[in-house]
Amino acid sequence: MTPDSFNFLAGLVKVRSGIVLTADKGYMLETRLGPMLRREAIAGLDALALRLRGAKAEALTAEMVEALTTNESSFFRDGKPFEHLKKLLPRLAAARPPGQAIRIWSAACSSGQEAYSIAITAAELGAALSGRRVEILGTDLSKEMLERAREGIFTQFEVQRGLPVQMLVKHFKQEGTRWRITPELRAMVRWQSFNLLDDLRGLGRFDVVFCRNVLIYFDAPTKSRVLAALAGQVAADGVVYLGGAETVLGLTDRLVPAAGERGVYEPARQAARVG
Ligand SMILES: C[S@@+](CC[C@H](N)C(=O)[O-])C[C@H]1O[C@@H](n2cnc3c(N)ncnc32)[C@H](O)[C@@H]1O
């Protein structure tokens, strides 16, 4: 692939998704886009760049971007955020009027493990939520991942990663070698295709946002923009969870680290904000 083709393809991916592909990622393009190239009978990455420069390339462009997302996920990933959520939810429930649902957003939800881990956490709290409903929204750029998430079926390997066995038998039904989430938990989550670079305001306000292990793929200005937009959608007493390798420091002053917690951020109080 010529440097010109690489720059063009990487530029397209960045504009469409925020994902930054550094010059050493040529091999990744080759391996991840191989199946798509073969299916479309496109000779290689230079030929793909040529096709995408032309008209009527929208569907192919979207397909390329999706193929370049990293969709790694697992149940109760990193543990800590879900332990924190377990303590937070009863507090939020007590602070909300009866009849008002607690809204939680799994932004960049991939194949759904994060959103279902939230659903399990809420279901296990039961009476501690004083009858408050928990509504979970799972969104992702990848339509393929959303389909998988919506289906709610996981392999033995997937459920073995992070899901305690008593939760597995309680909240999933075995179907051959795979496990299907119960209809009750599935009904707690709504799935929607959504790009984090788009205007978040249409999604409404959330009490809790999980935006984990996606900002790592963005450059600093994009991270800043997304974090500031997220802060605008979170309730004043709500929180944003970020991944272990992600932070708000140096990126936005609209979210501040929660005292004594890693990966947990709260909306900054108006008066405390700089600038
Ligand atoms: C590594 S997964 C993280 C999944 C889950 N949050 C977790 O921590 O286990 C990253 C996800 O971000 C999604 N993604 C990447 N860029 C995105 C964007 N601009 N808007 C929405 N989702 C995006 C990818 O499709 C992928 O499913």
Side-chain angles (χ1 to χ4, degrees), residues 30 47 94 120 154 163 168 224 244:
E30 305 270 357
I120 293 171
F154 297 91
L163 193 61
L168 173 64
S224 294

Side-chain angles (χ1 to χ4, degrees), residues 3-18:
D4 190 42
S5 297
F6 177 85
N7 290 337
F8 173 75
L9 294 175
L12 210 49
V13 171
K14 164 99 192 302
V15 168
R16 295 301 184 104
S17 68

Side-chain angles (χ1 to χ4, degrees), residues 194-264:
F194 187 79
N195 188 335
L196 283 168
L197 303 190
D198 290 344
D199 189 341
L200 310 185
R201 287 172 298 182
L203 298 176
R205 277 245 154 172
F206 293 96
D207 297 295
V208 177
V209 177
F210 280 70
C211 184
R212 309 193 66 237
N213 305 301
V214 60
L215 295 176
I216 35 169
Y217 301 105
F218 300 167
D219 65 8
T222 312
K223 287 180 197 182
S224 294
R225 206 179 101 197
V226 173
L227 285 167
L230 288 179
Q233 297 312 114
V234 186
D237 57 352
V239 306
V240 175
Y241 296 105
L242 300 183
E246 295 159 338
T247 179
V248 303
L249 298 176
L251 296 167
T252 184
D253 56 13
R254 298 193 59 189
L255 290 168
V256 293
E261 305 284 353
R262 281 197 61 168
V264 188

Side-chain angles (χ1 to χ4, degrees), residues 17 70-73 77 108 114 140-141 195-196 212-213:
S17 68
T70 300
N71 310 115
E72 170 79 13
S73 192
R77 186 170 185 175
E114 182 173 271
D140 202 280
L141 183 75
N195 188 335
L196 283 168
R212 309 193 66 237
N213 305 301

